[in-house]
């Protein structure tokens, strides 16, 4: 198959490129590097079956030649990134998804959209099943991401029912691993980079909020299976083992052997208090479940981030990060 992956230079997109290439397919990656990095796909540059288009998918998107699948992963994904880029996030979730769907329709290709556990907002049902409609504040700071993804799901479903497009919707839960951007602001990369640099480990609030962390190889395997064997209904892909943020901080300190102290910072507005996927659907439909325990996945992520120590990429974000960046 010839597969288009938007967001190919990002964390998940680059691992998906690797997986589709390893399965023998041809991959066309698209990215504008707004949150991704060329290093993530540098190893693919000599690969005959890989090509790359630098392009903003929120504008008209054309790919020459036949296409069998489109996986739409372009979007800022870290809360700090999407708070800085609110309009771009809304545009890539709406216009970008529309363009990616249009490409799939024109080529008669299968379409997979990267949705998120954020569609459940600050959930009132726990764990979250796909049937739960969510608890989202549309005008809060996270609304730019959550509502863009909810719109993406709605338009993907509309292309399925109205145009008969063969579609998939994956609801991804907090995924971590090598190629995360060191200062992207997400909790796993923040804690590891802080521990390695002997900077204070910043727990927001008391650290009692929970997340369920999925190692990237498991996540990509679930997405690949959904693409090949799944159906059009939304499917949670995540690791159901739940941790508090404080437990995560303690584990990172233990695994890095860092002397870094723990510091508490204010809890961001609308930060979900609990998050855990119900993966019954993925288990039964795809025979999928995650295999890599947090301890092992963190060790591999620490090893990756250690290789970047002392480089430009480890430098702290500028003061004011997380505030909307004005043009
Ligand atoms: P990432 O920031 O590493 O990757 C996103 C990529 O999309 C980047 O390379 C970025 O440059 C690119 N991009 C953004 N806007 C673009 C545009 N307009 N045109 C072209 N390229 C654009 O983030 P990630 O963690 O790899 O997330 C990838 C996808 O998975 C996103 O859609 C995200 O919402 C979704 N997701 C990720 C997680 C997670 O835990 N990593 C959880 C839920 C959902
Ligand atoms: N968090 C934290 N310290 C940090 C970064 C994040 O305590 O330095 C918390 C954040 O408030 C949230 C959780 O960790 O409760 C996960 O945050 P992340 O940004 O990784 O993603 P989210 O799941 O909120 O989208």
């Amino acid at each position: 198959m010839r597969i288009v992956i938007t967001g190919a230079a990002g964390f998940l997109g680059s691992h998906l490129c690797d997986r589709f290439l390893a399965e023998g397919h041809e991959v066309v990656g698209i990215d504008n590097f707004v949150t991704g990095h060329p290093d993530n796909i540098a190893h693919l540059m000599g690969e005959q079956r890989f090509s790359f288009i630098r392009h903003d998918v929120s504008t008209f998107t054309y790919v020459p030649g036949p296409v069998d699948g489109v996986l739409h992963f372009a979007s800022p994904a870290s809360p700090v990134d999407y708070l800085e880029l609110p309009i771009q996030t809304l545009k890539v979730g709406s216009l970008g998804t529309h363009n990616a769907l249009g490409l799939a329709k024109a080529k008669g290709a299968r379409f997979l959209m990267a949705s998120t556990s954020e569609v459940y907002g600050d959930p009132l049902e726990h764990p979250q099943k796909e049937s739960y409609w969510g608890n989202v504040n549309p005008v809060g700071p996270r609304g730019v991401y959550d509502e863009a993804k909810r719109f993406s799901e709605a338009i993907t479903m509309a292309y399925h029912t109205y145009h008969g497009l063969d579609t998939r919707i994956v609801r991804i839960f907090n995924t971590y691993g090598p190629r995360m951007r060191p200062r992207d602001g997400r909790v796993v990369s923040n804690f590891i980079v802080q521990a390695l640099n002997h900077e204070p480990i910043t727990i927001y609030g008391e650290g009692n909020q929970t997340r369920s962390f999925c190692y990237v190889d498991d996540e990509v395997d679930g997405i690949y299976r959904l693409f090949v064997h799944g159906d059009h209904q939304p499917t949670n892909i995540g690791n159901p083992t739940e941790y508090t943020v404080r437990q995560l901080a303690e584990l990172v300190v233990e695994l890095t052997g860092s002397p870094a102290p723990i510091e508490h910072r204010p809890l961001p507005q609308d930060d979900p208090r609990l998050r855990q996927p119900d993966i019954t659907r993925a288990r039964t439909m795809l025979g999928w479940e995650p295999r890599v325990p947090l301890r092992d996945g963190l060790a591999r992520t620490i090893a990756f981030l250690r290789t970047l120590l002392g480089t430009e990429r480890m430098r702290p974000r500028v003061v004011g990060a997380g505030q909307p960046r004005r043009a």
Side-chain angles (χ1 to χ4, degrees), residues 10-12 31-32 34-36 55-57 73 145 149 175 186:
F11 164 52
L12 285 178
D31 206 292
N32 67 351
V34 65
T35 58
H55 175 70
D56 178 348
V57 295
F73 276 69
Y145 181 70
K149 291 292 185 181
T175 302
R186 288 187 267 198

Side-chain angles (χ1 to χ4, degrees), residues 176-180 188-189 191-193 195-196 215 248-249 251-258 294-309 314:
Y176 69 99
R179 299 193 197 146
M180 290 192 91
V188 172
S189 45
F191 285 0
I192 295 175
V193 169
L196 292 178
Y215 187 65
L248 177 73
L251 194 51
V252 168
V253 168
E254 181 199 322
L255 293 172
T256 52
S258 173
L294 184 60
R295 184 174 276 278
D296 297 355
L298 282 179
R300 294 181 212 175
T301 313
I302 291 166
F304 166 76
L305 287 168
R306 256 190 224 286
T307 66
L308 300 181
L309 266 175
M314 291 294 254

Side-chain angles (χ1 to χ4, degrees), residues 283-303:
R283 271 202 183 104
T284 45
M285 178 171 66
L286 309 173
W288 174 84
E289 61 189 330
R291 302 194 176 283
V292 181
L294 184 60
R295 184 174 276 278
D296 297 355
L298 282 179
R300 294 181 212 175
T301 313
I302 291 166

Side-chain angles (χ1 to χ4, degrees), residues 75 117 233 240 256-257 296:
S75 171
S117 51
Q233 294 294 343
T256 52
D296 297 355

Side-chain angles (χ1 to χ4, degrees), residues 27-94:
V27 174
V28 181
I30 305 181
D31 206 292
N32 67 351
F33 298 122
V34 65
T35 58
H37 200 282
D39 280 1
N40 290 339
I41 47 170
H43 62 289
L44 299 178
M45 286 306 155
E47 168 59 66
Q48 293 284 314
R49 287 180 288 115
F50 181 76
S51 56
F52 181 74
I53 305 172
R54 184 173 185 162
H55 175 70
D56 178 348
V57 295
S58 299
T59 62
F60 179 75
T61 298
Y62 172 72
V63 174
V67 175
D68 305 295
V70 175
L71 288 90
H72 181 43
F73 276 69
S75 171
S78 158
V80 180
D81 287 339
Y82 61 71
L83 294 179
E84 278 185 12
L85 303 165
I87 312 288
Q88 288 95 321
T89 302
L90 281 158
K91 283 172 77 173
V92 76
S94 53

